[in-house]
Amino acid sequence: MDQNVFRDPQIARQFIKRLQQQAEQLPRRVTLMEVCGTHTMAIHQHGLRSLLPEQVRLVSGPGCPVCVTPVGYIDHAVALARSPGITLATFGDMVRVPGSTTSLLEEKARGADIRIVYSPLDAVKLAQNNPERQIVFLGIGFETTTPTVAGAIVQAQTLDLPNFSVLCAHKTMPEPMSALTADKELQVDGYLCPANVSTIIGVDAYRPLAEQYGVCCVVTGFEPLDILQGISMLLEQLCTAACTVENQYSRYVKEQGNTKAQALIAKVFSPCDSQWRGLGLIPGSGLEIRAEFHNYDAAQKFSVEIEPAREAKGCCCGEILKGKLGPRQCPLFGTRCTPENPVGACMVSSEGTCAAEYRYGC
């Protein structure tokens, strides 16, 4: 399919007109939330918030995996990086996220062996090529990246690699959406459900949200017209008081999702309670490595002293991730906290709300 169709200005004008018509039918101002970092960047990049009717408020939620990773996990990674014989392998965004007193980038400058990789399998290869070093991969992210990490652990077991492990902080998306929906102060009326995550978990994963809380959900693609159509579908549900789960991104997302990826996740990981930056402990929202693969669990394999976790003074990342504040309401935004000198994780990641606001300013 020609991707240009999803950026056609004429079709965009039709959607904008439709949104205005739908907004006039709303009984009150409504709050919609996107929970995907790529949605956040696309919304800012294309100025989509400026096109919405006044009756529609669109806020960013905890859709950036780097942003929601708690400071204690960074401190744990730092402690491992300082340990003799350990090499950390990680995706690039993680090295700049501040911990309580330092970051992995600072530790690397001090001599720690920290490698940026593009795939968990790159870390497996590192372990194969460096048998004298313990390679620890930083496993973060939602259901999108979790199958690749599960696959890397299975491959390490197949190769019988004694020097590969994962420091696991994988999280699952439906649980924080439930927590945010239950927050009466926030009052989310509808979600633009994350596209990449949904290719794995499917449309059915969001049905409990609609059934239990009466919140509207639309699985939505990344292009500007995808997002405008997703918002229109949410408004249609709200206008008719018929909240359900719809799939705007049906060209890629299926009702049941990717069952093979789900099976791989279930083979290696089991659900657990998990800490989220800003949201606190959310029951059943994380994944831990199963006992059958405990040799590849860095948290079990290495005993290190981790400093007490401390959030940066004045940083509002937690409230921004909950959609209760916008980036410009943080006193550090654009002054002490910039992409070149980030104080909070939301300014570090390429999918962070503060980084998007700083870059595109809308």
Side-chain angles (χ1 to χ4, degrees), residues 67 78 100 160 239 273 351:
C67 303
V78 165
S100 294
D160 195 22
C239 287
D273 300 342
E351 296 187 345

Side-chain angles (χ1 to χ4, degrees), residues 50-69:
S50 65
L51 304 178
L52 299 181
E54 186 179 344
Q55 299 95 318
V56 180
R57 176 174 174 252
L58 179 61
V59 298
S60 300
C64 164
V66 171
C67 303
V68 300
T69 302

Side-chain angles (χ1 to χ4, degrees), residues 229-290:
Q229 185 178 24
I231 293 171
S232 179
M233 292 167 71
L234 284 173
L235 294 188
E236 188 64 28
Q237 291 185 37
L238 290 166
C239 287
T240 58
C243 288
T244 184
V245 182
E246 294 184 276
N247 185 11
Q248 184 277 334
Y249 204 42
S250 59
R251 61 188 188 271
Y252 291 114
V253 175
K254 308 305 177 188
E255 294 293 308
Q256 303 299 324
N258 186 327
T259 54
K260 289 185 178 179
Q262 293 169 21
L264 183 57
I265 293 172
K267 177 179 179 178
V268 177
F269 298 103
S270 58
C272 65
D273 300 342
S274 184
Q275 286 283 348
W276 293 60
R277 188 188 296 265
L279 281 73
L281 184 70
I282 302 178
S285 66
L287 294 169
E288 61 185 3
I289 298 172
R290 289 188 178 276

Side-chain angles (χ1 to χ4, degrees), residues 121-164:
L121 293 178
D122 291 341
V124 174
K125 188 172 291 186
L126 266 178
Q128 287 181 281
N129 295 338
N130 299 272
E132 76 287 354
R133 304 283 299 178
Q134 288 289 333
I135 310 299
V136 177
F137 179 74
L138 301 187
I140 69 156
F142 304 131
E143 293 93 336
T144 313
T145 55
T146 307
T148 63
V149 177
I153 291 174
V154 169
Q155 181 166 346
Q157 185 184 61
T158 301
L159 295 171
D160 195 22
L161 285 178
N163 63 325
F164 174 82

Side-chain angles (χ1 to χ4, degrees), residues 31-35 49 57-61 186 188 322-323:
T31 296
L32 310 180
M33 176 180 280
E34 89 267 1
V35 283
R49 277 194 178 86
R57 176 174 174 252
L58 179 61
V59 298
S60 300
L186 186 57
V188 177
K322 288 185 285 190

Side-chain angles (χ1 to χ4, degrees), residues 64-66 69 73-74 77 87-97 103-105 108 114-124 126 135-150 152 164 166-167 169-170 348-351:
C64 164
V66 171
T69 302
Y73 178 87
I74 306 299
T87 295
L88 290 191
T90 178
F91 298 134
D93 280 355
M94 286 297 293
V95 299
R96 299 179 62 241
V97 179
S103 69
L104 292 174
L105 187 62
K108 182 176 176 64
I114 300 171
R115 315 281 185 94
I116 294 175
V117 296
Y118 297 97
S119 162
L121 293 178
D122 291 341
V124 174
L126 266 178
I135 310 299
V136 177
F137 179 74
L138 301 187
I140 69 156
F142 304 131
E143 293 93 336
T144 313
T145 55
T146 307
T148 63
V149 177
F164 174 82
V166 173
L167 184 63
H170 285 291
V348 174
S349 173
S350 58
E351 296 187 345

Side-chain angles (χ1 to χ4, degrees), residues 318-359:
E319 294 301 292
I320 292 169
L321 287 167
K322 288 185 285 190
K324 293 186 176 181
L325 291 180
R328 293 184 184 275
Q329 292 175 281
C330 177
L332 307 184
F333 179 85
T335 54
R336 280 185 54 207
C337 186
T338 65
E340 293 76 27
N341 184 36
V343 175
C346 295
M347 187 65 87
V348 174
S349 173
S350 58
E351 296 187 345
T353 305
C354 293
E357 178 75 21
Y358 188 93
R359 183 174 179 181

